[in-house]
Amino acid sequence: MANTILVGAQWGDEGKGKIIDVLTGQADIVVRTQGGNNAGHTVFLGPKKYVLHLVPSGILRKKKICVIGNGVVVDPVNLVEEIRGLIRLGIKVDGNLLISETSHLVFPYHRELDEQREILKGKNKIGTTKRGIGPAYGDKAARTGLRMIDLINAERFADKLELKIKENNEILKAFGAKPLSFKSVHAAYRTAGDYLKPFVADTVVFLHHACQRGKNILFEGAQGTFLDIDHGTYPFVTSSNTTAGGACTGSGVPPHRMDRVVGVMKAYTTRVGEGPLPSENDEIADLLHSMGREFGATTGRARRCGWFDAVATRHATMVNGIDELAVTNLDGLDSLETIKVCVGYRIGSKRYEYVPSDIELFSRCEPVYVEFPGWQTPTSKIRKWKDLPARARSYLKAIAELSGAKLTIASVGPAREQTIFV
Ligand code: GDP
Ligand code: IMO
Ligand code: MG
């Protein structure tokens, strides 16, 4: 398969988990490289539903090694719960999971600060997942974070945590929030540390050797291009590099080892959280929500929905270097008579072909649509490209062309077998 970076080409929740599960068949190793348990990746195996937050989705396949890379922020108590949950569902998690010793830790004060800052922002809030992701990356950048290597070293951990709790309690008090007890945080984290210790490794060296031995590595993207801290719709973004470059820095695997980039996108657009969404539309939102679809895998929030935004996916192809496209949720559009695609933005007479980086401008952008005739035929049982309705094929070809990359996968349902290779 060669080394593959998989990224979300929209605002997250593109169906990456499903496509990762499909592609893991050809991979030896699956690596998460950034983000934390703000991610929620859904995979169906038969009737069983799995939602992965920190553990790479590759864990559901036998004989694959999964790695939580150095670029990820890990809430260790949460990770232990997730691992235990998977074991209860009959999934093997022991020698097949490695956690980077330099991954940073998320603490209860990060979660509390995340919440307090959102309250303070009021109507300008980001709509975060309240998992403490921003404050944890903030500590990392300020060089005041604690890492996995600290957690598994009992003595070092106690000293460092005590200082951090002291500092953060002052900040929490200023927000009018309840201070944390060192004793109880320490106890919970040490218990988690003891549980996780056997998984902790130098994953950079592990991945280097794997590359030398010709292993196939799949880099599991989390979030999406427009949630990237540099390339997204700042400040309505997450706090990490969700684009392809993040796979290198977040794993220690150098760029020249990467062979291809696969961009995952829905056949329409969704976003959860605040921030502009030019092609947002009530008709498609009502349709999808009435089908019980598009509710967040992590927070359960209803996702905002809109028409396919080709300006955004074109921009995503540019910043990620997307070679191949996997389009998911085609079946969501099955019933529509007419389907709109946003092919450009405009403000007055000025037209934009890429997403403007100034959020003020972006929020004033009006979508320019072209219309496609719907196929009004169920697609979820179709397995071959040639069996798709001609109008569905035309739609897929058009959105791939507008996005500027080659269509290689079309997905017509959440299950592994509901996948069409083009
Ligand atoms: P991720 O964060 O990118 O992994 O995506 P999520 O798991 O948060 O959300 C994607 C949702 O779409 C999940 O409920 C998937 O089971 C579902 N899904 C993925 N591909 C398809 C598809 O082709 N058709 C349908 N109906 N559902 C899909
Ligand atoms: P997956 O991997 C969709 C969004 C939040 C919010 C913003 C910042 O499942 O695609 P954060 O908690 O990260 O500080 O929130 O980013 N967000 C996601 N939206 N899918 C995700 O992950 C997301 N992870 C974060 O809703 O708007
Ligand atoms: Mg998700």
Side-chain angles (χ1 to χ4, degrees):
M1 173 181 87
N3 291 346
T4 300
I5 300 176
L6 182 140
V7 291
Q10 295 161 324
W11 276 270
D13 302 327
E14 294 90 347
K16 297 177 295 294
K18 157 159 181 178
I19 302 298
I20 287 282
D21 173 64
V22 169
L23 296 181
T24 299
Q26 303 148 37
D28 302 301
I29 300 168
V30 183
V31 192
R32 268 287 301 274
T33 59
Q34 55 78 32
N37 62 343
N38 48 350
H41 298 174
T42 316
V43 182
F44 278 89
L45 298 184
K48 261 196 191 168
K49 177 179 168 176
Y50 300 85
V51 182
L52 287 309
H53 298 285
L54 267 169
V55 177
S57 306
I59 203 80
L60 303 177
R61 296 235 193 197
K62 293 199 176 89
K63 296 193 181 137
K64 309 290 173 181
I65 304 287
C66 288
V67 176
I68 296 177
N70 55 277
V72 177
V73 288
V74 179
D75 181 330
V77 174
N78 219 275
L79 176 57
V80 171
E81 267 171 38
E82 184 173 342
I83 293 173
R84 288 207 165 116
L86 286 167
I87 293 171
R88 274 198 300 277
L89 292 170
I91 305 295
K92 169 182 154 21
V93 191
D94 47 43
N96 55 346
L97 177 67
L98 300 178
I99 307 166
S100 167
E101 57 192 13
T102 56
S103 58
H104 276 251
L105 303 176
V106 181
F107 286 95
Y109 48 80
H110 292 131
R111 283 197 303 271
E112 191 62 45
L113 284 173
D114 195 353
E115 174 133 30
Q116 293 299 329
R117 286 178 186 162
E118 284 282 271
I119 294 170
L120 193 68
K121 283 197 183 93
K123 68 174 178 33
N124 296 320
K125 70 175 191 214
I126 297 165
T128 73
T129 60
K130 299 188 184 157
R131 299 297 190 269
I133 305 299
Y137 276 114
D139 262 347
K140 177 178 177 176
R143 293 147 299 170
T144 54
L146 269 69
R147 304 188 293 181
M148 204 43 94
I149 193 91
D150 301 313
L151 179 66
I152 60 172
N153 181 330
E155 208 172 304
R156 200 202 278 187
F157 181 69
D159 290 347
K160 290 195 172 191
L161 180 68
E162 197 165 12
L163 259 177
K164 289 300 292 179
I165 297 265
K166 222 175 180 178
E167 174 197 346
N168 281 284
N169 275 350
E170 292 305 315
I171 304 172
L172 289 178
K173 271 193 255 165
F175 272 112
K178 240 174 80 191
L180 295 160
S181 136
F182 163 75
K183 225 170 131 192
S184 69
V185 177
H186 180 259
Y189 275 62
R190 278 297 312 139
T191 306
D194 285 340
Y195 184 95
L196 295 175
K197 194 168 182 172
F199 299 94
V200 178
D202 185 337
T203 54
V204 174
V205 172
F206 170 80
L207 291 170
H208 172 69
H209 287 150
C211 285
Q212 282 182 326
R213 294 202 314 274
K215 298 286 180 195
N216 292 319
I217 308 175
L218 179 56
F219 296 85
E220 172 167 351
Q223 291 79 48
T225 299
F226 297 98
L227 295 173
D228 184 287
I229 182 101
D230 285 279
H231 300 289
T233 51
Y234 193 91
F236 301 100
V237 292
T238 190
S239 302
S240 53
N241 284 117
T242 62
T243 46
C248 294
T249 51
S251 68
V253 176
H256 74 280
R257 286 285 190 188
M258 302 300 185
D259 300 298
R260 66 165 175 171
V261 181
V262 175
V264 184
M265 56 198 209
K266 279 179 176 146
Y268 47 90
T269 304
T270 66
R271 172 169 208 170
V272 57
E274 307 303 317
L277 191 64
S279 66
E280 190 164 16
N281 174 273
D282 284 346
E283 181 194 348
I284 186 157
D286 293 346
L287 170 76
L288 293 163
H289 291 150
S290 71
M291 290 153 80
R293 294 162 70 141
E294 302 309 343
F295 293 92
T298 296
T299 58
R301 290 177 289 178
R303 294 176 183 145
R304 297 157 64 194
C305 303
W307 301 111
F308 186 83
D309 183 341
V311 183
T313 55
R314 182 185 301 140
H315 197 110
T317 299
M318 171 173 75
V319 294
N320 291 293
I322 294 172
D323 303 296
E324 298 177 25
L325 292 170
V327 178
T328 68
N329 287 276
L330 181 74
D331 53 305
L333 303 178
D334 283 350
S335 64
L336 290 167
E337 206 179 314
T338 306
I339 303 168
K340 287 186 189 178
V341 171
C342 168
V343 293
Y345 300 150
R346 81 183 156 72
I347 302 175
S349 59
K350 186 159 169 56
R351 186 162 162 140
Y352 294 84
E353 305 298 330
Y354 293 95
V355 178
S357 44
D358 179 356
I359 196 74
E360 303 265 309
L361 271 186
F362 184 46
S363 60
R364 288 197 283 126
C365 282
E366 301 274 350
V368 177
Y369 288 120
V370 296
E371 290 190 353
F372 289 81
W375 44 93
Q376 298 187 287
T377 313
T379 55
S380 63
K381 291 203 170 78
I382 295 173
R383 299 289 175 268
K384 290 199 178 108
W385 173 252
K386 67 172 178 47
D387 296 335
L388 276 174
R391 286 176 171 181
R393 275 182 281 148
S394 302
Y395 178 74
L396 285 169
K397 277 196 216 158
I399 61 173
E401 199 167 304
L402 287 162
S403 305
K406 191 171 80 182
L407 176 74
T408 53
I409 292 178
S411 169
V412 291
R416 197 181 273 173
E417 55 282 3
Q418 290 173 300
T419 308
I420 297 169
F421 294 94
V422 183

